[in-house]
Amino acid sequence: MQQARITVDPAYYARAEGALRRSLALNAASNHRAMIAMAALANARHEFTDAVRWGRRAERIDPASPELYGVLTDAYTQLGDYPAATAAVARMNDLGPGVAAFTRASYELETHGDDAGARRVLTQAAEDAYTPSDVAYCRYYLGELALHSGDLEEAVRQYQAARSADPTYVPAAQGIAKTQALRGDLAGAINGYRDVVGRVPQPQYIAEYIELLRAAGRTGEAAEQHRLLLAQRGLMVGNGVVDDLSASEYAASAGDAAGALRHARAEWARRRSVVVADALAWALHLSGRDRRALRHAEQATRLGWRNALFYSHRAEIHAALGDHNAARRDRATARRINPHLDLRFPAIGRAS
């Protein structure tokens, strides 16, 4: 599974599953570690309901495993079962406080609107980290917190600290390129993303790169990257990875309202997180179904997450419905959260 993440080759997931199923065939009764690994594999493939099922099986055997509650936290969060996610991350921190637990606790605080708490816990995680990869991971997400609150200087400082800790950590380079884009240095951002995508052709990075190329009018290069994105998605689907959320978000940014709605509905049928609620709200808006869109936009903001893109989307939906006072309030909220949000680059501005 680690190799799948490093190489962006989802064929490793099938190999991991083969090894785990062999392990379970040899010992199905008390093999909680294989069950936890199956839950982690299900999370990696975005099969979050399966992840919960495997996690609960492991919990019946060993309810004192911090790793177990980590995979359950991830699954519950993605499914939109936030009370269960809160309980799982609390249990993980009780059993095994450390980088893995603190980073999940930070995200849980962020999604509930406590940016200061999220930053405090993530700073603690960075101070406790001792391997270069863990330090880089923590510094990168401190950069993300700063970026999405509009503090670009702090974001760059944290991304650079991540790169210094581990020069091979590609997200650090991606973070620096994002700040260049939001500062108006489109050429620098494009150069940065060319390097990032060349090293790790992850669909998220390719989608962000395409946004920059389109903004610069480099349509031929954008089309080339679009073909690469389709090829990468084909590999993912062929190896059991389901991701209609990213497909919906990309279709929306590309002006494909029908595709955005089709994918968003498919994702909503599987899980009800606030991120999916926002994607569905925006897809419905692009399709002219604003009354239904508003219901989902309200669900997206229900936790209090200080997510500028959510409020920006809700503002446009209010405006389409003729409620201009509500639209002004939401636009003002989005600006307060992140004055550097640039709607030309929704993928770059997205916090998820």
Side-chain angles (χ1 to χ4, degrees):
M1 286 188 282
Q2 179 71 3
Q3 285 300 309
R5 285 189 288 269
I6 292 170
T7 64
V8 201
D9 181 357
Y12 281 105
Y13 291 141
R15 298 177 198 175
E17 183 178 3
L20 289 169
R21 291 200 178 278
R22 176 62 176 155
S23 179
L24 288 162
L26 292 167
N27 174 12
S30 60
N31 197 351
H32 65 281
R33 293 199 60 77
M35 295 172 191
I36 294 170
M38 284 294 285
L41 176 60
N43 278 335
R45 285 173 158 170
H46 298 180
E47 296 171 340
F48 303 111
T49 300
D50 284 349
V52 169
R53 180 172 58 82
W54 280 109
R56 285 175 173 167
R57 282 184 63 182
E59 188 176 30
R60 289 194 289 271
I61 300 167
D62 181 12
S65 165
E67 186 182 7
L68 160 65
Y69 292 101
V71 295
L72 283 174
T73 297
D74 297 342
Y76 285 132
T77 299
Q78 295 298 329
L79 288 170
D81 188 346
Y82 295 104
T86 298
V89 77
R91 180 70 171 150
M92 185 184 189
N93 276 272
D94 287 342
L95 292 169
V99 171
F102 293 155
T103 52
R104 286 176 171 88
S106 173
Y107 184 71
E108 199 266 344
L109 289 166
E110 181 191 3
T111 57
H112 286 80
D114 186 357
D115 283 5
R119 193 172 296 107
R120 183 178 63 253
V121 172
L122 200 49
T123 300
Q124 183 178 356
E127 291 170 352
D128 283 4
Y130 59 90
T131 67
S133 59
D134 278 352
V135 173
Y137 181 89
C138 294
R139 291 296 171 189
Y140 172 77
Y141 279 101
L142 281 165
E144 290 288 276
L145 280 172
L147 182 82
H148 295 299
S149 66
D151 189 346
L152 298 187
E153 286 188 13
E154 176 64 10
V156 170
R157 190 177 76 82
Q158 294 292 350
Y159 294 141
Q160 289 175 339
R163 185 172 62 182
S164 295
D166 183 357
T168 68
Y169 189 68
V170 174
Q174 176 246 10
I176 291 168
K178 285 195 292 189
T179 59
Q180 289 175 304
L182 295 175
R183 284 174 159 170
D185 180 7
L186 201 54
I190 286 171
N191 287 337
Y193 267 97
R194 183 185 300 113
D195 175 62
V196 166
V197 169
R199 292 164 67 187
V200 179
Q202 185 183 114
Q204 173 194 339
Y205 297 161
I206 300 169
E208 291 167 357
Y209 187 26
I210 290 169
E211 284 184 349
L212 295 172
L213 291 169
R214 285 175 174 163
R218 294 161 68 164
T219 55
E221 292 171 80
E224 181 181 342
Q225 292 301 315
H226 176 72
R227 288 190 289 273
L228 175 61
L229 179 61
L230 293 180
Q232 286 297 107
R233 285 197 175 141
L235 282 173
M236 295 290 182
V237 171
N239 285 278
V241 180
V242 180
D243 190 5
D244 279 295
L245 174 60
S246 294
S248 175
E249 291 168 341
Y250 179 76
S253 68
D256 178 7
L261 184 56
R262 182 177 69 256
H263 287 295
R265 281 175 165 164
E267 196 73 22
W268 187 250
R270 287 190 293 271
R271 58 190 180 110
R272 302 295 176 94
S273 75
V274 293
V275 176
V276 181
D278 172 70
L280 181 53
W282 191 238
L284 286 163
H285 164 71
L286 294 177
S287 297
R289 305 177 190 190
D290 288 293
R291 293 198 181 280
R292 294 177 69 181
L294 183 58
R295 291 200 294 271
H296 290 287
E298 296 288 355
Q299 290 193 52
T301 54
R302 73 184 189 272
L303 297 178
W305 189 356
R306 291 175 52 76
N307 188 312
L309 195 61
F310 287 4
Y311 285 97
S312 180
H313 284 166
R314 196 171 74 175
E316 296 307 311
I317 294 165
H318 277 305
L321 290 168
D323 191 345
H324 298 293
N325 287 332
R328 277 193 293 273
R329 287 194 298 271
D330 279 344
R331 288 191 187 108
T333 299
R335 282 194 299 273
R336 281 196 304 273
I337 294 169
N338 184 1
H340 294 287
L341 179 69
D342 190 331
L343 293 179
R344 293 177 303 163
F345 313 130
I348 287 173
R350 186 170 290 116
S352 59

